[in-house]
Structures are given as C-alpha cells and as structure tokens.
Amino acid sequence: MTEIALTIAGSDSAGGAGIQADLKTFAALGVHGATALTALTAQNTLGVEGVHVVPPDFVLAQMKAVASDLEVGAIKIGMLATSAVIEAVAEGLESFPGIPVVLDPVMVAATGAILLDKEAIATLKRVLLPRAVVITPNLPEAAQLLGAKEARSEDEMRAQAQELRRLGAKAVLIKGGHAKGLTATDLLLDQEGEMRLEAPRVQTKHDHGTGCTLSSAIAAELAKGASLREAATKAKAYVTAAIAAADEFHIGKGRGPVHHFHAFWPKSGKPQR
C-alpha cells in the first residue's frame, strides 16, 4: 500500500518552500502527498510580496475531504497565518485520530516577512503544540514561542527545547541552522532524552525552504513507519544533501531553493529523460 502524508501549509509561488517544498520532499522520499492550503503567497527568491489567507472553513473542508477518502499516515503543519486558521486546523485534526503530527511553527520567512502575528502564536501554543508528536522550530522561532532571546549556544538551545516541552510539546527538534560554526547541529528532546543531529555546515545562499523540507521529510518517514528518532535522523541526512546540491540550481536572483531531487537529477540540474 502506498504511504500518504498530508501537508497543511501555505503556497510558495516560486516553488521553493511551503506546500511545493513539502510535495517535492514527499515525492523524493516515496510518499504520496495530499494537501490542505492555508494561504497563497505572492513571493519569489527575493521576498514575499503578498499573502492571501484561505478562509478557515475552506481549510477545514480540505482536511475533511482528505480524511474521508485517504489513509493518511502522517501530517505536517506549516504556515497557518491567523488564529482562525489555526483553530480550523485543530478542529480538522479530529478527523485524523492517532495520526502523528509534525508541527513546523512558521513565523517569519527567510527574507524577513512576518507570517504569524502575536495573537496567532498564542493560539498555536494553546491548541496545536500539545497535539504534535514533534515541533521543529529554528532558533528565531523557538525564541518567539518563548518570548525569549535567540539561543546562542547548545546549552541555551537545550534549555529552550526543555521549556517548550514544559509548555506541552511531546518532543522538540530545535534547529541550529541559524547558528554559526562549521557544524550545523540540531537537538531533539523527547521522552527518551536528548539526541544530537550533526552535519557539516554547507556554504551556500541557496537554502530557501530548508525548514519546510526537514519537517516534511520527518512526516514522510513517520508515514512509512519509522520511529521519531529514525525519522529525524533520515530527514537530517536528506535535507543536508539537498542543501549541498542547491548550487547545481540556478533559480531566481535571490535565495534559491534546495535541490529536493538531488538523488534523481543529473549534475546539470535538468531531469533525465
């Protein structure tokens, strides 16, 4: 039987992040992707030029349509935009009892555009944080969730992850991609304790969509039956390779996307025929 993962997120018109990145990741990892769109963005590699939020009742309708027909094995949640959309998603999750949820708390685009306001952050913490098997904030997102300063060391990352677990998160994968140093280190804190995920830091400006890609890769592996730790380990390896291959692309004039299909496309950056 084909494994299925559902992504609940916004659309990136340039195809590098959001729903588009999630679907590419699912496909690259051998999982069928279903979607519930929460927002349409007018954006490119230079920045976000506009956001059109999908009506909450239609977000819920999309989720119920998928639930009534498809055997979803895991859910990834990304950009949610407003408190009303978050509440609709929380209601929609009731149609997926027992299905693992990966929550990527998207708040600020890589270009600096604000994608979630303070009221919505409070709603997300209240109604979605406890429903997720893991949340995957980067350093700025973890700081915003806690109303704290951005972590500057592994000890501070660890302390913030522990605090997020105290707020109700079952597990926290706090990403160190925004930190400095030769190694990109993520910390996973769960009921078993702590696991460090390390990879050499890739020097490239083409890293658009890395957060979306990591969280959707975790969801894809969970849909295939992996444990959370197995899924996180495989997802880290996949996104690292996608970043390493990003310079093979020549997409846009700004921060281009990672190479989701690095394992299938030739070095020229064009698909084989």
Side-chain angles (χ1 to χ4, degrees):
M1 189 172 97
T2 301
E3 288 86 4
I4 300 171
L6 167 65
T7 169
I8 305 167
S11 169
D12 173 1
S13 53
I19 286 280
Q20 287 84 349
D22 297 341
L23 290 177
K24 291 173 186 177
T25 302
F26 292 163
L29 297 177
V31 172
H32 175 79
T35 65
L37 280 164
T38 59
L40 308 177
T41 68
Q43 68 173 292
N44 52 34
T45 63
L46 299 173
V48 178
E49 299 179 5
V51 177
H52 176 71
V53 179
V54 175
D57 59 349
F58 195 73
V59 175
L60 179 58
Q62 292 175 81
M63 293 178 68
K64 287 186 174 181
V66 172
S68 69
D69 185 38
L70 305 185
E71 294 292 331
V72 172
I75 298 170
K76 175 263 172 85
I77 299 176
M79 177 184 176
L80 295 173
T82 69
S83 288
V85 169
I86 292 170
E87 295 279 9
V89 169
E91 181 179 347
L93 290 179
E94 296 176 6
S95 298
F96 299 91
I99 302 303
V101 174
V102 178
L103 175 61
D104 188 28
V106 179
M107 299 178 188
V108 182
T111 53
I114 303 299
L115 301 177
L116 200 66
D117 61 29
K118 289 184 179 180
E119 179 187 353
I121 292 173
T123 305
L124 181 141
K125 288 163 64 175
R126 177 173 55 84
V127 304
L128 287 183
L129 212 67
R131 294 172 182 254
V133 298
V134 64
I135 64 171
T136 61
N138 58 30
L139 298 182
E141 290 162 349
Q144 287 198 47
L145 284 170
L146 294 170
K149 292 182 180 179
E150 189 173 320
R152 294 170 296 178
S153 67
E154 277 195 39
D155 285 342
E156 290 181 358
M157 288 171 62
R158 184 176 297 107
Q160 290 194 358
Q162 290 170 341
E163 184 62 26
L164 287 168
R165 288 204 67 209
R166 282 192 284 270
L167 288 179
K170 296 180 178 66
V172 179
L173 177 61
I174 187 166
K175 301 173 291 191
H178 284 73
K180 297 180 180 179
L182 297 177
T183 301
T185 302
D186 305 335
L187 293 180
L188 174 65
L189 271 68
D190 59 11
Q191 293 178 342
E192 298 179 40
E194 176 186 315
M195 182 171 74
R196 297 173 82 254
L197 299 166
E198 294 182 290
R201 189 176 299 278
V202 179
Q203 298 302 319
T204 178
K205 73 171 185 177
H206 301 304
D207 57 0
H208 186 50
T210 51
C212 304
T213 299
L214 180 68
S215 55
S216 55
I218 293 173
E221 296 298 340
L222 291 174
K224 292 191 287 186
S227 69
L228 175 58
R229 291 195 166 205
E230 291 170 340
T233 300
K234 291 180 179 180
K236 176 73 170 181
Y238 170 74
V239 76
T240 300
I243 296 170
D247 285 348
E248 297 173 17
F249 267 169
H250 301 283
I251 307 296
K253 300 173 183 176
R255 297 181 67 174
V258 302
H259 195 340
H260 294 92
F261 295 113
H262 58 271
F264 305 99
W265 290 21
K267 293 293 183 180
S268 66
K270 297 179 181 179
Q272 295 181 359
R273 299 184 183 280

